[in-house]
């Protein structure tokens, strides 16, 4: 009996257009999404139709591992959240089954999503934004080919350390040569 009541409740909700979210919940969603836009160096917009739960979980795990965010959004709420952010120019990209990838690293969200889209045709890159600049699909793909901030930091540290190491080697080499010469003379 209880199962029938629950089933009837769900059917009545579907007939009315789905489950409603009250005004406070919508305001919270808009504020959360607005903060996501404000705190991100880059945002990538994708369409994801037909992703299985396993595929979606895999994508979310990959995004999380790279310190990126991935959110499936309602287009209307996303458009409202875009107002007064550096990503206002992306409003027209929000149509269809939309999701947002974002990151404080300008490259990582694009890198993870483009890599995933290459392996899974159910995820389609639409475009994005880098700070206040709009990005087309090809721009996002080009951005994904760039090294991440962590890679650049590693290369910079290597470049800074390399001259110091070379300088130390040059400074030590004459003393080493003198010691070798003295050692050879003493053996004779």
């Amino acid at each position: 009996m209880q199962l029938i009541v629950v089933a009837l409740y769900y059917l009545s909700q579907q007939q009315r257009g789905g489950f409603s979210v009250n005004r406070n919940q919508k305001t919270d969603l808009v504020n959360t999404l607005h903060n996501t836009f404000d705190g991100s160096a880059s945002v990538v917009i994708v369409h994801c139709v037909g992703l299985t739960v396993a595929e979606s979980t895999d994508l979310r795990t990959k995004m999380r591992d790279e310190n990126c965010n991935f959110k499936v959004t309602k287009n209307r709420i996303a458009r409202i959240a875009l107002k007064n952010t550096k990503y206002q120019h992306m409003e027209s990209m929000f149509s269809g089954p939309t999701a947002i990838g974002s990151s404080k690293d300008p490259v990582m969200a694009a890198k993870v999503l483009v890599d995933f889209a290459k392996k899974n045709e159910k995820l389609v890159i639409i475009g994005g934004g880098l700070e206040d600049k709009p990005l087309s699909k090809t721009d996002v793909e080009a951005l994904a080919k760039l090294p991440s901030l962590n890679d650049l930091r590693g290369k910079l540290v290597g470049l800074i350390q390399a001259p110091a190491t070379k300088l130390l080697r040059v400074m030590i080499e004459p003393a080493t040569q003198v010691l070798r010469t003295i050692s050879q003379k003493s053996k004779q």
Side-chain angles (χ1 to χ4, degrees):
M1 180 70 175
Q2 287 178 335
L3 184 60
I4 294 172
V5 171
V6 171
L8 289 174
Y9 172 74
Y10 281 108
L11 286 173
S12 69
Q13 289 298 319
Q14 282 182 329
Q15 288 174 351
R16 283 192 248 149
F19 293 93
S20 64
V21 177
N22 72 31
R23 191 175 212 64
N24 292 334
Q25 290 171 320
K26 285 181 184 177
T27 303
D28 290 344
L29 287 171
V30 168
N31 290 336
T32 301
L33 203 50
H34 185 83
N35 292 337
T36 298
F37 288 132
D38 275 344
S40 300
S42 68
V43 173
V44 178
I45 310 298
V46 297
H47 282 176
C48 47
V49 179
L51 281 178
T52 64
V53 173
E55 291 168 334
S56 180
T57 302
D58 183 40
L59 175 58
R60 289 175 189 277
T61 301
K62 288 178 181 178
M63 292 290 283
R64 198 175 313 113
D65 289 346
E66 297 297 337
N67 295 321
C68 301
N69 298 317
F70 184 76
K71 295 181 182 188
V72 177
T73 63
K74 289 189 172 234
N75 294 326
R76 187 164 181 264
I77 289 175
R79 285 190 204 109
I80 294 168
L82 278 172
K83 291 182 180 168
N84 300 321
T85 69
K86 55 192 167 194
Y87 299 108
Q88 293 182 92
H89 54 81
M90 297 187 326
E91 191 172 328
S92 63
M93 293 182 196
F94 286 94
S95 64
T98 309
I100 300 169
S102 62
S103 175
K104 292 182 181 179
D105 181 329
V107 177
M108 283 315 298
K111 194 176 284 284
V112 174
L113 289 169
V114 167
D115 286 346
F116 192 86
K118 285 179 184 176
K119 297 171 189 163
N120 191 327
E121 69 276 353
K122 296 174 190 173
L123 187 81
V124 179
I125 306 292
I126 301 302
L130 182 62
E131 295 296 331
D132 59 346
K133 293 173 182 56
L135 299 175
S136 67
K137 177 181 179 177
T138 54
D139 293 336
V140 171
E141 290 169 348
L143 181 65
K145 293 176 184 172
L146 295 175
S148 69
L149 277 178
N150 285 338
D151 292 342
L152 290 175
R153 287 179 183 131
K155 288 178 183 179
L156 184 61
V157 167
L159 288 172
I160 290 171
Q161 286 180 342
T165 306
K166 288 178 184 175
L167 180 63
L168 184 62
R169 239 184 267 137
V170 168
M171 290 174 61
I172 291 174
E173 190 61 35
T176 307
Q177 287 177 352
V178 169
L179 288 174
R180 278 192 215 129
T181 306
I182 293 171
S183 175
Q184 287 176 353
K185 290 289 184 185
S186 68
K187 288 181 183 179
Q188 291 177 353

